[in-house]
Amino acid sequence: MIAPSSSAAELIAHLRTLRSEESISGMARFGIVTETALGISNPDLQKIARIVKRSHPRSLELWQSNIREARLLALYTAEPKRLTPDLARTWSDDFASWEIVDTAADLYVEARLEPLISEFAADDREFVRRTAFAMIASAAVHMKKEPDETLLAWLPLIELHAGDPRNFVRKAVNWALRNIGKRNPHCHAKALAVAESLAASSDRTARWIGKDAVRELTSEKVIARVERKSADR
């Protein structure tokens, strides 16, 4: 049985007992890197994380295992206040799958490491650059008390990298733009203006990002959501 006192080695041994070849095959269809995967779903890993609770030293050991599930568990159980920029950079050097990136992005935002966003965006590696925009997307949702100007200051970064045609980058850039636009009426207007500008771009990738963002940000559902937020302020 696993417990809050479980060591990294004990947790890894437990994870190995849950291996599912069928689930591994299914994950591959969603673009998840499965070379080191055991086939355990994220909800099941989150249940384990709630049992074992946070332990920063243990999360470091789990990450070193290079096992997909152990690394996700490391991200779920790391202590945000002890996560340093240098450690985030080290972990990001290992990124090779969108789901690891997106999980890490939530942790990095919780740890208030958003100063790394510009640095990650400037990095040409696909998954490190994705980290920057996944962090923006996460920050737009979770940093509720942050001034709008913090989010809007990342719009030029979105415009700068909107021409990156790599699948996992362009989707994250699009995601970041849409999430800023759904934050509130002020952010909606600014993000929509950027989306409309990109939609008119001669660059195919930027045009796709812009058109897709315009489509969502002008939908009845999003407009109603933004108006509700305006009424609540």
Side-chain angles (χ1 to χ4, degrees):
M1 286 289 293
I2 55 172
S5 60
S6 295
S7 66
E10 289 169 336
L11 285 174
I12 291 170
H14 176 70
L15 293 174
R16 291 189 187 280
T17 68
L18 304 177
R19 183 183 180 92
S20 168
E21 295 297 334
E22 182 179 356
S23 295
I24 291 172
S25 298
M27 288 174 177
R29 290 195 292 272
F30 288 95
I32 294 173
V33 176
T34 58
E35 282 81 353
T36 66
L38 300 173
I40 306 169
S41 72
N42 284 17
D44 285 342
L45 289 171
Q46 289 164 354
K47 289 178 184 177
I48 294 172
R50 287 193 290 272
I51 293 171
V52 302
K53 305 190 184 304
R54 293 187 185 271
S55 168
H56 203 67
R58 187 181 59 208
S59 71
L60 299 177
E61 293 183 57
L62 288 169
W63 188 268
Q64 289 300 320
S65 72
N66 195 33
I67 298 169
R68 169 195 173 267
E69 285 76 5
R71 284 190 164 177
L72 285 169
L73 200 55
L75 295 170
Y76 289 141
T77 60
E79 297 174 51
K81 291 182 179 180
R82 298 181 66 180
L83 185 65
T84 65
D86 282 343
L87 179 58
R89 292 184 183 101
T90 297
W91 281 0
S92 299
D93 286 341
D94 294 333
F95 288 168
S97 180
W98 65 265
E99 62 160 357
I100 293 285
V101 168
D102 296 357
T103 304
D106 285 341
L107 173 64
Y108 291 1
V109 168
E110 188 178 359
R112 297 307 307 258
L113 297 180
E114 63 271 16
L116 290 175
I117 287 174
S118 295
E119 178 182 325
F120 286 158
D123 195 305
D124 194 51
R125 289 172 293 178
E126 182 174 10
F127 290 104
V128 178
R129 182 168 290 170
R130 180 185 174 91
T131 305
F133 297 99
M135 287 178 70
I136 294 173
S138 179
V141 173
H142 298 296
M143 292 171 58
K144 299 183 185 302
K145 295 183 179 180
E146 194 71 17
D148 291 346
E149 287 66 28
T150 299
L151 282 296
L152 297 176
W154 290 319
L155 288 176
L157 204 60
I158 288 172
E159 293 180 279
L160 179 64
H161 293 289
D164 192 323
R166 293 174 294 182
N167 186 49
F168 293 111
V169 175
R170 72 185 180 98
K171 287 186 174 181
V173 172
N174 172 264
W175 180 25
L177 179 58
R178 289 184 290 108
N179 274 15
I180 290 176
K182 290 185 285 188
R183 183 177 172 90
N184 58 43
H186 182 212
C187 289
H188 181 269
K190 297 290 187 180
L192 182 57
V194 169
E196 291 172 338
S197 175
L198 293 175
S201 172
S202 59
D203 182 89
R204 180 179 179 181
T205 302
R207 194 164 60 247
W208 174 84
I209 289 171
K211 286 183 176 181
D212 187 75
V214 168
R215 186 180 303 111
E216 180 168 5
L217 295 178
T218 57
S219 68
E220 290 183 5
K221 181 179 179 180
V222 169
I223 293 296
R225 174 181 171 183
V226 170
E227 288 178 349
R228 285 197 301 273
K229 289 186 177 181
S230 179
D232 292 340
R233 295 184 79 179

